[in-house]
């Protein structure tokens, strides 16, 4: 069974402080990991995926297979980063099931 | 590009009444998902379609929930009869199987009184 765990429901940081949103997963294989974001009054949308290894809006995430983690990081938080963040795992095989974590609300304090 | 379109955005019904949600995915997206999102929780998969075939409906409560995707495009999710615990946001998403990125609709918020 595949599972995604986001241990923090709420993370509050001051503007300019570093951010790390934690995500751990359980999957027997090589999964595809994603971070989705939902800004206030907007639909859920993709932020980044591990296979592209790119930085989006200053956010990066590295897949650590040894620790089964895919933490989302940003060195300097901005007020516009305040949103709900969901980590997701996709089974890349024929089944291609996508499982989401429970989400972490990031609150950036001015 | 309109993106994934869902309707209605909001629905309030009394328990034991039926309700239906409609989803129009992005043109060309062969995979369609229905997710349930309770307050404070992440999306939970109800059913996934590849074209018109339901390939994963293991989490769909089949005693009261049903879904269809005729012609492999639009999809409808129905609840009959609705229960108080069904109050939630019902999300539709679509994707190309090759990319894995899900595109979500705005969701349909159901309140059962």
């Amino acid at each position: 069974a595949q599972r995604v765990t986001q241990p923090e429901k709420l993370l509050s940081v001051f503007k300019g402080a570093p951010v790390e949103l934690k995500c751990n997963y359980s999957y027997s294989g090589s999964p595809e990991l994603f971070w989705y974001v939902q800004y206030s009054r907007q639909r859920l949308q993709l932020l980044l995926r591990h296979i592209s290894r790119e930085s989006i809006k200053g956010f990066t995430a590295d897949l650590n297979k040894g620790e089964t983690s895919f933490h989302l990081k940003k060195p300097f938080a901005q007020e516009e980063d305040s949103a709900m963040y969901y980590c997701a795992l996709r089974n890349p095989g024929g089944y291609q099931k996508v499982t989401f974590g429970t989400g972490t609300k990031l609150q950036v304090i001015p | 590009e309109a993106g994934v379109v869902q309707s209605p955005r909001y629905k309030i019904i009394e328990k034991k009444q039926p309700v239906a949600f409609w989803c129009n995915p992005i043109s060309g997206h062969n995979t369609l998902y229905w997710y349930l999102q309770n307050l404070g929780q992440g999306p939970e998969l109800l059913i996934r379609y590849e074209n018109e075939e339901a390939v994963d409906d293991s989490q769909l409560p089949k005693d009261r929930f049903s879904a269809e995707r005729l012609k492999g495009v639009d999809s409808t999710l129905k609840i009959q009869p609705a229960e108080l615990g069904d109050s939630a946001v019902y999300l539709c998403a679509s994707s190309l199987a090759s990319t894995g990125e899900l595109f979500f609709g705005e969701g349909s918020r159901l309140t059962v009184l």
Side-chain angles (χ1 to χ4, degrees), chain A residues 93-104:
Chain A
Y95 209 47
Q96 297 187 23
K97 181 176 180 176
V98 180
T99 300
F100 286 82
T102 52
T104 297

Side-chain angles (χ1 to χ4, degrees), chain A residues 9 32 34 36 38 41 43-46 49 51 86 90 94-103, chain B residues 2-4 33 35 37 40-43 45 48 50 55-56 58 97 99-102 104-106:
Chain A
K9 277 199 170 294
E32 294 177 9
F34 303 80
Y36 283 80
Q38 186 167 28
R41 298 185 184 87
R43 64 185 70 192
L44 201 54
Q45 60 187 289
L46 179 68
R49 70 187 81 191
I51 58 174
Y86 296 93
R90 177 184 183 230
Y95 209 47
Q96 297 187 23
K97 181 176 180 176
V98 180
T99 300
F100 286 82
T102 52
Chain B
V4 177
Y33 306 77
Y35 282 90
Q37 187 171 27
Q41 300 294 317
L45 181 68
R48 177 169 70 92
E50 293 291 342
V55 296
D56 183 1
S58 58
T99 67
E101 177 182 353
L102 270 61
F104 283 87
E106 294 180 293

Side-chain angles (χ1 to χ4, degrees), chain A residues 14-63:
Chain A
F14 286 100
K15 178 182 175 181
V19 174
E20 182 178 48
L21 300 172
K22 297 187 186 302
C23 171
N24 288 90
Y25 67 90
S26 173
Y27 180 71
S28 56
S30 295
E32 294 177 9
L33 275 296
F34 303 80
W35 277 98
Y36 283 80
V37 61
Q38 186 167 28
Y39 300 103
S40 180
R41 298 185 184 87
Q42 295 187 26
R43 64 185 70 192
L44 201 54
Q45 60 187 289
L46 179 68
L47 179 63
L48 55 78
R49 70 187 81 191
H50 89 272
I51 58 174
S52 61
R53 302 185 64 82
E54 57 189 346
S55 173
I56 303 294
K57 298 184 179 182
F59 285 97
T60 59
D62 291 319
L63 178 60

